[in-house]
Amino acid sequence: MIKFKINREGKKVEVEAGERTLNIQRALEKWGILGLGQVEGLLFPEGLSEMERMSLFFNCKFKGEYRGASYKAVKYLQELGLIEVKQYINMPGLYNLAKEGHGVLKELGLAKLEEIRGPLTDSMVKHEVLVTGIGCVISEFLGRPVSTEFERHVLSRGKGADLGRESFPLPDLWISDAGQPKAIEVERTQKSAERYRKLWAFYRNNLPSSAVVLYIAAFPNGPRLLLSRARKLLADFIYVCSIEEFRTGLGRCAFLGYRGGEIRLGTPLSHPQGPQHQRVATASLS
């Protein structure tokens, strides 16, 4: 157990927590927001298959309830005022790191960032939770060093980049790779043709020449539409897969380019997973 002090009614009070409990705070600092399923999949994986962890990364809930350890840990942190639970429209409660919790990480020398992410709007929260699930798959299953948009913003003190009057944010996720850096864009809805033209022109002019942009499309006919756009714009650095392919392949699926090439983040599964290989899950937030 690790001892540290927190503020209680204007006084410093000593409390203690296990390493895994502190790791929940560290995960919230990195990802910004987590559902209970994501907490369990990340930090309480004992006895779970990869496909079951995948379901939890996307905040599916197995028939019955989450196992007690993850709930008790977040409840304890919530009672100490170290994490907060936020309610959003048509969403179960989601957890974020409180300022007090970030202060504890700094005190213990465990903080990676100088600040924490602020509250999300209802219009953005489903996208951000989906991005977190994808990031968990890439880091946990594929062992890839992945950083979030907010991490890179804080560490670089940047605010994205401007092209004309429009601001182009950093990609949702970034995989550091000396040979081929990878920007990850999670696309829940289709953008206009003009938006893609400007965004991809920005990427073409600002990313390293060896970099690629990997799109995970979560809207109907997304891969087909994005590859059609890439073909028209000769954007040969764009590669696409669907969210269904990403999930059933445990992140090891093929991202396809319009010229027929493909990129994989890991060795493909010999037998892609499907619903028949996992316990029944409900309440997906993707």
Side-chain angles (χ1 to χ4, degrees):
M1 301 294 282
I2 300 172
K3 295 182 179 181
F4 52 88
K5 292 183 178 181
I6 62 172
N7 289 308
R8 277 289 177 88
E9 298 179 353
K11 297 180 180 180
K12 285 284 187 178
V13 178
E14 187 173 83
V15 297
E16 61 181 20
E19 183 175 351
R20 184 146 52 177
T21 305
L22 289 172
N23 284 341
I24 294 174
Q25 294 169 249
R26 299 175 72 181
L28 286 168
E29 181 193 40
K30 176 179 178 64
W31 299 110
I33 191 168
L34 291 170
L36 184 58
Q38 291 170 329
V39 172
E40 183 161 336
L42 272 173
L43 299 162
F44 298 83
E46 295 85 354
L48 296 173
S49 69
E50 280 193 328
M51 200 62 206
E52 287 170 337
R53 289 186 76 195
M54 166 71 79
S55 293
L56 289 169
F57 289 154
F58 290 93
N59 282 316
C60 294
K61 184 171 71 172
F62 299 128
K63 279 188 174 179
E65 296 297 328
Y66 294 115
R67 297 176 299 173
S70 58
Y71 178 76
K72 288 178 181 177
V74 296
K75 186 69 174 176
Y76 178 65
L77 289 170
Q78 192 179 346
E79 289 172 352
L80 292 180
L82 303 180
I83 68 173
E84 300 170 336
V85 61
K86 299 288 187 183
Q87 301 294 331
Y88 296 91
I89 296 174
N90 297 323
M91 299 280 282
L94 297 169
Y95 299 94
N96 63 270
L97 186 61
K99 290 183 179 179
E100 181 83 8
H102 196 223
V104 168
L105 292 182
K106 288 181 177 180
E107 178 185 330
L108 296 175
L110 299 175
K112 300 295 184 183
L113 303 176
E114 285 299 314
E115 58 189 90
I116 56 176
R117 186 166 187 171
L120 295 171
T121 63
D122 285 301
S123 63
M124 284 298 298
V125 68
K126 285 189 176 182
H127 174 266
E128 294 305 310
V129 171
L130 182 58
V131 169
T132 294
I134 289 168
C136 289
V137 171
I138 293 171
S139 63
E140 294 294 305
F141 291 166
L142 307 178
R144 296 276 190 153
V146 61
S147 56
T148 67
E149 176 184 357
F150 183 72
E151 279 183 290
R152 296 191 311 284
H153 168 75
V154 172
L155 293 174
S156 67
R157 292 300 173 190
K159 297 182 179 179
D162 292 326
L163 187 65
R165 291 185 176 182
E166 294 185 78
S167 175
F168 286 86
L170 297 163
D172 293 316
L173 298 166
W174 179 261
I175 298 176
S176 299
D177 186 327
Q180 188 184 65
K182 297 171 178 65
I184 308 287
E185 290 283 14
V186 179
E187 208 77 342
R188 288 191 69 247
T189 57
Q190 178 183 339
K191 296 183 176 69
S192 69
E194 181 65 7
R195 178 66 176 174
Y196 287 121
R197 184 188 70 78
K198 290 183 176 181
L199 180 58
W200 293 351
F202 169 78
Y203 278 144
R204 193 193 305 273
N205 294 329
N206 290 276
L207 289 180
S209 60
S210 61
V212 292
V213 182
L214 307 182
Y215 272 86
I216 300 174
F219 62 92
N221 297 314
R224 180 186 60 79
L225 183 143
L226 290 168
L227 287 175
S228 175
R229 298 276 188 232
R231 183 178 294 109
K232 290 178 181 178
L233 296 171
L234 302 179
D236 57 2
F237 53 90
I238 300 294
Y239 291 80
V240 188
C241 78
S242 70
I243 186 64
E244 292 80 14
E245 292 167 326
F246 185 86
R247 289 178 64 166
T248 58
L250 298 178
R252 301 172 176 93
C253 61
F255 290 80
L256 302 180
Y258 78 87
R259 289 184 172 177
E262 68 175 47
I263 290 175
R264 292 180 185 267
L265 298 178
T267 303
L269 297 172
S270 56
H271 300 288
Q273 303 294 298
Q276 69 273 20
H277 294 93
Q278 58 180 305
R279 288 182 277 171
V280 177
T282 58
S284 171
L285 296 183
S286 65

